[in-house]
Amino acid sequence: MTATGRGCAFRTVVTVWGAMDVFLETERMLLRRFTLDDVDDVLALDSDPSVRLFVDDGEPVNRDEIASMIEDWMVYYERSETYGFWAAVDKQTGEFLGWFHFRPRARGALDEPELGYRLVYEPEAICYEDRAGGIR
């Protein structure tokens, strides 16, 4: 199944792009599976005080906590081709932009996942946020 909109192509089957397992591809961004190689990028994101302000209790996190969190996220890939946590990467530069998750809503239909995200704070990221929010 493929759905398109606002420059996005949403696939329910993971495809391989280069050496990455890609879940979703837009004109400028890829959402790919996480690996443990992403620990430092997620740690940098979650160490940003402006991010921590809205996450959990606002307390700092450490590298071991992030590694454990990513391992938990990776379990999703064994259970579903649609639901999970996905690293957002700039297609041209390979730069880590943040992450998105798709998961079942508490009382929603299975084909209407909840969209969550955490992005690196940069003015350019606003465009990515807008495009990802337009997935239908």
Side-chain angles (χ1 to χ4, degrees), residues 100-122:
F100 290 83
H101 77 244
F102 300 98
R103 60 183 177 195
R105 295 187 311 171
R107 290 179 209 80
L110 289 177
D111 63 348
E112 296 178 5
E114 170 188 285
L115 168 65
Y117 57 90
R118 194 173 300 168
L119 296 172
V120 173
Y121 179 71
E122 293 180 12

Side-chain angles (χ1 to χ4, degrees), residues 26-41:
T26 71
E27 185 178 312
R28 298 175 52 199
M29 174 180 68
L30 298 172
L31 296 187
R32 62 161 174 78
R33 290 182 176 197
F34 271 99
T35 71
L36 289 176
D37 291 336
D38 296 308
V39 169
D40 291 331
D41 287 327

